[in-house]
Amino acid sequence: MNIMLIDDDEAIRDMLQDIIEDYELGTVVASLPSAANITTAELIARHIDLLLIDMLMPDCDGIASVRRFQDFPGKIIMISQVNSKDLIGKAYESGIYAYITKPLNRNEIISVMRSVEEYIRLERFAHTLQSTLQTTLNPDIAMMQQKEVTPQQKAASLLKELGVAGSAGYDDLIEIIAYLQAHNKGSAIPSLKTIFTAVAEQHAAENIQKEAKTIEQRLRRAVFQAMVSTASMGVVDYTNPKFEEYAPFYFDYAEVCSIMRMIQQNEKPQISKVHINTKKFIQALYTASQEA
């Protein structure tokens, strides 16, 4: 998840960011002291999935801000010292997903954010299912749409289905598909070092090697996120056609099964305990993006 934090208390924002990073609950895209200048368009442009916002700030009202974000497709959690039932009711009426009271409780934050993550995952799954049904029921329309889709658009659609849309490595993967589309002549892709260096050069970075390493790290996290999303799909329904297709095609199947066991035992999947085969993922994504 891409997350934005808004609270005039820097210590609160730092605490939230530490919890999010320690428990790998998402990526903090922005940490701001005020929502006064934030617009729905900016939230969408930054691919924000979750907004955590304080109710009472010196220069703006949290509830009023939430009402301004009515077209924001993501979820909003409000945090506040206020215990008034009336104000909490107004907060929920404004459209928030959850309300957390201060002082902050680490376990409550983790629980609520995981609930949001699962809700978003299920929403995406439902959207994918709906799209699949529409495609099945309208093959002529689907065929016309397929002819118009570019490899980058196909890759973007696949990444959304894999639960990677909005992740830190999403843009890198789209750039890689574009690079391979333009420069790769065979079915096999170049070495990861060659790919990462080429994309880093497109970023006009001062230190190409450092940027290439940063891209590699972002992609490891993105692939891990896709693995967890796919494993979660398998836990819900092992016979799901998407799971049966994606698990062995994009990943090392044994590693996906390992994550499934962790989820079933209520353990938090950790990237350090899983083998991430980034090249296989990129090769599979490139192959799938080329299909008509």
Side-chain angles (χ1 to χ4, degrees):
M1 289 189 297
N2 278 357
I3 302 167
M4 178 180 286
L5 308 176
I6 302 179
D7 195 306
D8 59 297
D9 188 335
E10 186 176 0
I12 293 292
R13 300 200 312 273
D14 289 344
M15 178 183 177
L16 287 168
Q17 183 157 354
D18 287 343
I19 293 172
I20 290 167
E21 292 176 351
D22 289 347
Y23 289 85
E24 297 181 357
L25 299 171
T27 301
V28 177
V29 175
S31 178
L32 307 171
S34 171
N37 298 319
I38 299 297
T39 64
T40 301
E42 181 176 355
L43 293 174
I44 295 173
R46 290 193 181 209
H47 302 291
I48 302 299
D49 299 302
L50 174 62
L51 172 64
L52 282 86
I53 185 170
D54 189 20
M55 176 184 278
L56 302 176
M57 291 175 281
D59 61 345
C60 65
D61 177 273
I63 293 178
S65 296
V66 171
R67 286 173 178 159
R68 285 195 289 114
F69 304 147
Q70 296 232 336
D71 294 329
F72 170 53
K75 306 303 174 189
I76 300 176
I77 295 175
M78 184 160 283
I79 50 180
S80 178
Q81 293 178 341
V82 176
N83 287 313
S84 166
K85 290 184 179 179
D86 288 341
L87 282 177
I88 294 175
K90 288 181 180 179
Y92 276 104
E93 287 173 4
S94 69
I96 67 169
Y97 178 86
Y99 187 96
I100 297 177
T101 56
K102 299 178 183 178
L104 299 179
N105 179 287
R106 178 182 293 261
N107 290 334
E108 181 182 13
I109 293 167
I110 294 170
S111 176
V112 172
M113 291 191 65
R114 283 180 174 162
S115 171
V116 173
E117 185 176 29
E118 178 66 9
Y119 189 90
I120 291 173
R121 187 189 69 78
L122 290 174
E123 271 193 332
R124 288 173 177 167
F125 175 73
H127 177 73
T128 300
L129 182 60
Q130 184 180 28
S131 298
T132 302
L133 288 173
Q134 288 176 343
T135 299
T136 303
L137 295 172
N138 299 281
D140 293 336
I141 295 175
M143 189 176 296
M144 291 175 61
Q145 290 175 336
Q146 265 192 337
K147 292 178 181 178
E148 300 171 359
V149 173
T150 67
Q152 292 94 316
Q153 291 171 328
K154 182 72 179 291
S157 177
L158 290 167
L159 290 173
K160 288 179 181 177
E161 291 188 12
L162 288 161
V164 182
S167 73
Y170 173 82
D171 290 337
D172 296 311
L173 286 164
I174 298 300
E175 287 185 88
I176 286 172
I177 296 303
Y179 166 77
L180 293 174
Q181 177 70 14
H183 299 91
N184 200 52
K185 303 304 180 185
S187 57
I189 64 173
S191 68
L192 291 182
K193 182 178 180 180
T194 299
I195 295 172
F196 296 157
T197 300
V199 174
E201 288 173 348
Q202 292 177 3
H203 293 178
E206 293 183 6
N207 188 326
I208 298 298
Q209 291 184 341
K210 182 178 179 180
E211 176 66 10
K213 188 65 178 177
T214 300
I215 292 171
E216 179 182 6
Q217 292 170 347
R218 286 199 296 261
L219 289 188
R220 274 181 54 80
R221 291 193 293 270
V223 175
F224 176 69
Q225 182 174 327
M227 289 177 73
V228 173
S229 177
T230 303
S232 299
M233 190 187 303
V235 170
V236 173
D237 180 7
Y238 193 75
T239 62
N240 185 317
K242 291 294 184 184
F243 171 76
E244 292 179 340
E245 176 186 355
Y246 292 166
F249 183 62
Y250 288 96
F251 317 104
D252 292 338
Y253 187 70
E255 297 299 321
V256 176
C257 292
S258 175
I259 294 175
M260 288 173 65
R261 286 192 293 271
M262 293 181 197
I263 295 172
Q264 289 167 335
Q265 295 168 9
N266 294 320
E267 295 180 18
K268 175 179 172 54
Q270 297 181 24
I271 193 170
S272 60
K273 295 183 179 180
V274 179
H275 172 65
I276 308 294
N277 193 336
T278 305
K279 186 165 187 178
K280 178 174 182 176
F281 184 85
I282 293 175
Q283 175 73 72
L285 184 64
Y286 174 65
T287 300
S289 71
Q290 303 305 301
E291 294 177 354

